[in-house]
Amino acid sequence: MTHPFESRLSRRALLRAGGVALAASAVGGGSTGAAPLPAPRGAAPGDPAAGSLVEVELVAKQRFQRILAEPAGPSPLITYAERFPGPVIRMRKGQRLRATLVNELEEHTSIHWHGIRLPNAEDGVPFLTQPATKPGERHVYEFTPPDSGSFFFHPHCNTVELLGRGLAGALIVEEEGGPKFDADLVCMIKDWILDKTGAFGAFTSDRGASRAGTFGGVSTVNGLIEPVIDVPANGDVRARFYNVDSSRVIDLKVEGADAWIIAVDGNPLPPRPLDGWPMGPAMRVDVVFRAPREAGRTIRLLNVYSAEPKPLAVFRAAGPTLPNKRFAPRALPAADIPKPDLRNAQVIPMAFSATAVAQVFDEALLTTLPYADSLCLSQKTFWAINQQSWPEGGHERLPPPITTLELGRSYVFELANLTPHLHPIHIHGYTFSVLSSDQRKVVPHHADTVLLEPKERLRVAIKADNPGDWMFHCHIIEHQDTGMMGYIRVA
Ligand code: C2O
Ligand code: CU
């Protein structure tokens, strides 16, 4: 018998962020405390591994990686691991994550854990929830994700450039039980703003920021242009598709296979055919499809959002034909998102608008945080939420919250898009129940980011059970950067 403390230590995995797909699930059955065993998928409830610790180190720095073919050179990406996308942290529901950010950049930064309902202090927003992590410093995040699903992480300052150069990684929390898959892929979809030589171009312009955003010209999946991805022949393939682009809306189609959505932003929903589910920046879908029976056969992944479908990747069947019978997608175990009490919910209007003139804050409204140590206040404010603009460059000058919610009460946000542009609206620390729209039939589901169509009014609800100051913003990064950002206080 091992001493409980020792055994806890032995179950730790130290993961140096170094590869494309690091399996961070590092714990064994727990009875011996001996060398860690690879974790099985979908541990049973009450598995002794639950509660164990997964440790990762994320070194943010510039690394060269080839995106364009020769004669272009490798591009100066900024990543958390040796390659984009990386790392992929995989853990099981119930496990605790301890992630150390090591800042080897020349600017301050932080890590935001997108989609996770975590304690406010771990949310990674400089000046709002933590001091910014300065060059050469480290910052340790520690939390136990309460939900399974496909999440990700990225910085929350100078995001236009840092995300533009690739600073993002995946955090996958595997569910307990549920259907088995023959493959489980992460596909991070992102365009790059590159010139012919492989150098980055301008990540933002007034023209882009005040309209639909600046677009990259090079589409990739996992940093590769139209990659061929091997999948087991006749296998049931779970593909976790992430839109990690800063601006582009994607509507995926798996051409040549029956493909079904089984989760949105990591949250399970009754399986439904993948057919018209536009994803704004930061949105994800988990899809299951059946790979072709014969090795060598291919199917195509397309973005069909614009009139001209854009090929993104090819899936190619490989290996012996698996003995799967008829394709019948099954639901993942339901998420346990606190249910808003809609009958007693207060309705809060949230208007997303364009500013006519750059709107500079009334100095009297500003409070300066103790963390404030630098000023990079952007004067460019093209967008507002409830008439209030907070540019990302002005993080350290904290405006009042958009609204203050009472801890434990339920709220319906009426999100009104007063602009002719799309806005993927994201809330930190919470998962929306998406209720209804005045323009389309809404499939009830949970999401951390919802795509507001031009002029649309969309209703979403939360139960305000997680105290703190929570960012609430558009995830088209240039919109966020030029004013369509604020925070909600829950107290
Ligand atoms: Cu992925 Cu504040 O966002
Ligand atoms: Cu927007």
Side-chain angles (χ1 to χ4, degrees):
M1 233 0 245
T2 327
H3 187 273
F5 183 61
E6 263 173 56
S7 124
R8 191 180 100 96
L9 282 180
S10 71
R11 283 185 209 147
R12 283 184 185 182
L14 181 67
L15 184 83
R16 293 274 318 187
V20 169
L22 290 169
S25 33
V27 288
S31 57
T32 64
L37 300 169
R41 283 260 155 68
D47 184 294
S52 61
L53 188 66
V54 171
E55 284 198 62
V56 298
E57 191 173 80
L58 303 164
V59 183
K61 66 172 194 178
Q62 175 174 295
R63 296 173 174 97
F64 281 86
Q65 181 172 332
R66 173 171 296 288
I67 303 287
L68 299 179
E70 289 189 83
S75 301
L77 269 57
I78 292 182
T79 55
Y80 292 117
E82 284 315 310
R83 289 187 59 79
F84 175 91
V88 175
I89 303 172
R90 274 186 190 267
M91 54 195 293
R92 278 181 291 164
K93 190 170 163 178
Q95 288 187 308
R96 191 161 179 80
L97 179 65
R98 179 182 296 160
T100 303
L101 164 66
V102 182
N103 182 3
E104 293 188 7
L105 305 173
E106 279 159 11
E107 60 194 286
H108 66 230
T109 189
S110 69
I111 296 181
H112 166 56
W113 306 90
H114 183 117
I116 309 275
R117 298 186 299 121
L118 41 52
N120 198 236
E122 307 304 316
D123 195 42
V125 182
F127 313 111
L128 187 69
T129 68
Q130 63 163 90
T133 304
K134 298 205 187 80
E137 286 184 351
R138 305 162 79 86
H139 185 94
V140 180
Y141 296 90
E142 196 172 317
F143 54 90
T144 304
D147 308 305
S148 55
S150 307
F151 305 105
F152 74 118
F153 51 97
H154 61 75
H156 223 282
C157 197
N158 192 20
T159 318
V160 167
E161 179 184 348
L162 294 179
L163 187 61
R165 292 174 68 179
L167 196 55
L171 173 58
I172 291 174
V173 183
E174 296 180 339
E175 60 273 348
E176 294 170 338
K180 298 272 179 285
F181 303 96
D182 300 308
D184 185 330
L185 311 174
V186 172
C187 296
M188 285 209 160
I189 301 167
K190 175 176 164 39
D191 292 354
W192 305 84
I193 300 176
L194 294 169
D195 69 14
K196 285 205 300 272
T197 70
F200 282 111
F203 294 104
T204 184
S205 67
D206 288 357
R207 193 188 155 77
S210 62
R211 293 180 175 82
T214 301
F215 293 91
V218 184
S219 297
T220 62
V221 175
N222 295 341
L224 303 166
I225 300 169
E226 291 184 53
V228 176
I229 300 168
D230 279 344
V231 291
N234 201 42
D236 283 346
V237 178
R238 177 183 193 164
R240 302 168 186 264
F241 293 116
Y242 287 71
N243 182 354
V244 291
D245 197 58
S246 300
S247 313
R248 192 177 296 282
V249 176
I250 296 169
D251 190 6
L252 292 175
K253 182 176 162 94
V254 181
E255 193 186 60
D258 203 6
W260 291 61
I261 298 180
I262 52 173
V264 170
D265 293 353
N267 305 287
L269 78 175
R272 49 178 294 112
L274 172 65
D275 179 18
W277 194 281
M279 287 197 286
M283 296 167 74
R284 290 92 67 210
V285 287
D286 282 35
V287 165
V288 61
F289 65 86
R290 175 65 61 81
R293 287 188 66 83
E294 289 129 56
R297 287 277 197 96
T298 59
I299 54 188
R300 290 205 302 167
L301 178 69
L302 303 170
N303 175 9
V304 296
Y305 185 71
S306 40
E308 176 96 357
K310 169 97 186 110
L312 290 174
V314 168
F315 295 111
R316 178 177 61 194
T321 300
L322 296 179
N324 286 325
K325 301 267 168 2
R326 197 174 60 83
F327 179 60
R330 284 174 54 211
L332 298 169
D336 198 13
I337 311 293
K339 220 177 146 48
D341 171 7
L342 294 179
R343 280 206 285 167
N344 296 303
Q346 187 187 334
V347 177
I348 305 214
M350 297 280 192
F352 299 86
S353 61
T355 55
V357 201
Q359 207 178 334
V360 181
F361 268 110
D362 178 353
E363 288 292 319
L365 284 178
L366 293 167
T367 45
T368 303
L369 278 184
Y371 306 135
D373 58 355
S374 71
L375 279 178
C376 49
L377 190 66
S378 162
Q379 299 302 318
K380 296 269 174 57
T381 51
F382 297 126
W383 307 99
I385 304 176
N386 286 353
Q387 315 267 327
Q388 186 171 294
S389 296
W390 186 22
E392 200 201 33
H395 252 178
E396 63 277 13
R397 323 265 334 257
L398 200 65
I402 303 176
T403 181
T404 298
L405 310 180
E406 196 182 313
L407 188 63
R409 282 201 60 180
S410 293
Y411 295 88
V412 170
F413 298 152
E414 189 166 276
L415 311 175
N417 182 358
L418 308 181
T419 81
H421 296 282
L422 292 141
H423 302 287
I425 302 301
H426 171 51
I427 190 170
H428 286 206
Y430 281 89
T431 303
F432 293 132
S433 298
V434 184
L435 303 176
S436 63
S437 158
D438 68 344
Q439 285 193 12
R440 58 197 163 110
K441 200 159 175 301
V442 164
V443 180
H445 68 283
H446 289 113
D448 55 59
T449 309
V450 288
L451 189 59
L452 278 190
E453 293 186 356
K455 303 291 176 184
E456 181 180 30
R457 277 170 194 273
L458 188 72
R459 293 183 142 223
V460 299
I462 59 164
K463 177 164 186 203
D465 66 338
N466 195 1
D469 287 342
W470 299 105
M471 296 298 297
F472 182 70
H473 62 84
C474 180
H475 223 290
I476 288 178
I477 308 297
E478 287 165 286
H479 292 180
Q480 172 187 7
D481 195 34
T482 56
M484 200 175 274
M485 178 173 89
Y487 68 96
I488 292 170
R489 176 164 292 163
V490 177

